Amino acid sequence: MNDLIHAVAALLLPPTGAFPLLLLAWWLRHRRRWLSGALFATGLIAVWIGSTELGALWLQDRLLGPQQAVQVERLKDVPPKETMIVVLGGGARKLMPEYGGAQLKALSIERLRYGIWLSRQTGIPLMFTGGTPRDSSDERMTEAALAERTAAQEFGFTLAAKEDRATDTRENAEFTAELLRGQPIRRVVLVTHDVHMRRSLRAFREALPPEVEVVPAPLGLALPGFEWRDLLPSQEGISRARYLGYEWLGYVGGH
C-alpha cells in the first residue's frame, strides 16, 4: 500500500501532475469546447511551470515564501558552546558501485559541506541527524555514520555529535531534541535545502523547548534575477519543481 501511495504521489508531482488536465481536456474536446480549451491551456502552463527553473522558483516563492542566506556574523552573538549547527540528512545509497559501498546522496553531501563551512567560520560545533535509509537492512549503515566518515576522510572535520535513528524530518527534530536535552544550548542553526526548510523549521520549533532559538541556514538558494535560459525546460527546473511538490505535500499533510 505504501508503494502504491508513493507511486501515485510521484505521478502527481510536477510536471506529470498536469497530465490529468490534458487528458480531461482531450476527453471534453467535443462536449465542452470552451472548458476543454481552458483545461488544455492550464495544463500547458502547469507543464511549463513544472519544467523550468523560473517557473519552479516562482511557484516556490508563493508556496513556501522567500528565504535568505543566514548571516554568519549574526551567529557569533551567542557563545559557540551554547549553539549547535544541526545538519539534516538528505538520503544515502546502500551501494554505489563506483565506490564499492554505501555513500551519502548528493543532497546530504551538500548539506554536510555547508554545515562544515559554517562551523569553521563560527567555531560552532556541528551534529548530523539521519538514520538507516528505508531501503537498507543494515542498521549499522546510517546516514549519520556515513556523514561522520565523509567529514573525517574528505573534509578533515570531526562531528561534535550524531543522531542515527531518524528516518524522516519529524524524527530528525524529535531525536535531536532528545540528544540536546540537558545541554546549555540556546540556539540551533538548522542546515537543509531551501525547499525543505519550512517543513524542517516547523518540526524543530515544535520539538525543541520554546527558549531555544532555531535559526534557518538554507542552501540551494537561487541568485536574484534571471536569464532567458531559465524560461526553457531543464533538469534543474524539473528537479526543483518535483522537490517542491514533495515538500509542499508533506507540509500540508503535517509530516
Side-chain angles (χ1 to χ4, degrees):
M1 188 63 180
N2 225 10
D3 290 339
L4 178 61
I5 292 173
H6 281 288
V8 172
L11 290 173
L12 292 177
L13 293 177
T16 53
F19 288 1
L21 289 177
L22 297 174
L23 290 172
L24 185 58
W26 178 83
W27 187 69
L28 292 172
R29 68 192 187 284
H30 297 310
R31 299 172 178 83
R32 299 277 195 279
R33 294 182 62 88
W34 65 270
L35 180 57
S36 174
L39 289 172
F40 186 74
T42 302
L44 286 181
I45 293 172
V47 169
W48 175 80
I49 290 176
S51 303
T52 64
E53 185 80 2
L54 182 62
L57 289 170
W58 175 84
L59 189 61
Q60 177 181 332
D61 192 53
R62 277 142 190 82
L63 291 179
L64 302 182
Q67 297 188 54
Q68 295 181 339
V70 68
Q71 298 179 6
V72 175
E73 290 303 316
R74 183 202 163 193
L75 301 181
K76 298 178 181 179
D77 60 6
V78 172
K81 66 180 181 180
E82 298 178 3
T83 305
M84 181 70 75
I85 295 172
V86 178
V87 177
L88 274 65
R93 288 180 59 185
K94 60 182 178 182
L95 174 63
M96 283 191 177
E98 58 270 36
Y99 285 96
Q103 293 288 329
L104 293 174
K105 289 184 177 180
L107 288 179
S108 292
I109 293 176
E110 289 176 4
R111 296 174 188 179
L112 177 62
R113 180 173 182 265
Y114 182 49
I116 290 173
W117 182 83
L118 282 176
S119 179
R120 285 173 168 162
Q121 293 294 313
T122 60
I124 299 171
L126 181 151
M127 70 172 290
F128 190 100
T129 168
T132 305
R134 294 187 185 275
D135 63 349
S136 176
S137 58
D138 185 356
E139 296 183 355
R140 297 169 299 175
M141 199 282 293
T142 66
E143 287 184 58
L146 292 173
E148 184 176 48
R149 185 186 71 186
T150 302
Q153 293 180 353
E154 300 186 25
F155 297 99
F157 183 87
T158 302
L159 300 184
K162 65 179 187 290
E163 184 288 303
D164 57 7
R165 293 184 293 157
T167 59
D168 58 31
T169 302
R170 284 212 169 270
E171 289 185 354
N172 286 139
E174 292 167 3
F175 296 149
T176 296
E178 286 183 16
L179 284 178
L180 296 182
R181 192 171 295 130
Q183 299 186 35
I185 299 298
R186 293 168 47 198
R187 174 184 286 170
V188 164
V189 181
L190 195 59
V191 174
T192 188
H193 282 80
D194 56 346
V195 180
H196 185 222
M197 182 57 75
R198 185 179 182 186
R199 190 158 67 96
S200 302
L201 278 175
R202 180 179 65 182
F204 273 79
R205 284 171 175 160
E206 290 177 355
L208 291 168
E211 63 270 17
V212 177
E213 179 189 11
V214 183
V215 178
L219 69 152
L221 299 166
L223 293 172
F226 68 94
E227 55 183 32
W228 67 270
R229 293 179 182 83
D230 295 333
L231 294 166
L232 301 177
S234 65
Q235 180 61 47
E236 292 78 10
I238 292 173
S239 296
R240 181 177 286 272
R242 290 186 68 83
Y243 194 7
L244 171 62
Y246 175 84
E247 288 299 329
W248 185 76
L249 287 174
Y251 184 82
V252 298
H255 296 293

